[in-house]
Amino acid sequence: MGRVRIIPVLLLNKGGLYKTIQFKKTTYIGDPINAVKIFNEKEADELILLDYTASIEKRGPDFKKIAEIAGEAFMPMAYGGAIRSLDDAKKVFDAGYEKIVLNSVLFEQISLIERVGSIYGSQAVVCAIDVKKNWLGKTKVFAYSGTSSSSYTPVEWAKRLEQAGAGEIFLNSIDRDGTWDGYDTDLIHSVAYVVQIPVVACGGAGSMDDFKAAVTAGASAVAAGSMFVYQKKGMGVLISFPSQNKILI
């Protein structure tokens, strides 16, 4: 038996927290500092903070803001969003983050994985894979917040990222994002069983049963957004965390 990490995902945009549905419809959630303080109290295993509009808006990380957020966290944190160089990565680590999340930049300079990993260790480099079906109905990897399709299938890209030195894969289903419909377990299974590194499942969680289904499919950890920031009935805003968060599989 092993304890499974449950990881809240917070989406940052110009200093505020938002939640998306299928990477499109956005809802303002509140202040990231308050959210981090709540997850401190709930003893979250880790937090992932993603500035989801930074790359598409061609702006760099807000290092001052993310340092302020990390300064309030009592748990390990990962940050992703517009990290495009080793210097960017260094500033994120210096701001107090244990891991960085790389995504769109990898289609242009996949060597950044090795450059960061050679200094901070491969465990500090999380590679995000955003997946959805394209207009032909084929499952492909997308970049720039789901706006740009690549030619890669999730399995192909996962293999390539592992070969490049990734320490962990953050696998996100765009089609399931914010839907509460459960994880895409077929997607999780297809990726988790072709790589040797941990796979963090994201996109669609609505219950503890969904967490267990993702782990059964091969995920090493589970991440969620809506489940932790909404009341399901009426969808009012209420940042929360399951009381039985220390699940064993």
Side-chain angles (χ1 to χ4, degrees), residues 4-9 48 170-172 183 199-206 211 214 219 221-228:
V4 176
R5 290 176 292 151
I6 301 179
I7 307 172
V9 179
I48 294 178
F170 179 75
L171 183 64
N172 198 357
Y183 294 104
V199 173
V200 180
C202 191
F211 291 161
V222 289
S226 295
M227 184 176 169
F228 298 145

Side-chain angles (χ1 to χ4, degrees), residues 8 15 25 57 61 65 92 94 103 114-116 140 158 169 176 180 193 204:
K25 183 180 178 181
E57 293 176 355
K65 185 65 178 180
V92 173
D94 288 347
N103 191 343
E114 192 279 331
R115 297 202 305 274
V116 175
K140 295 293 183 181
I169 288 175
R176 299 291 182 104
W180 302 76
Y193 282 87

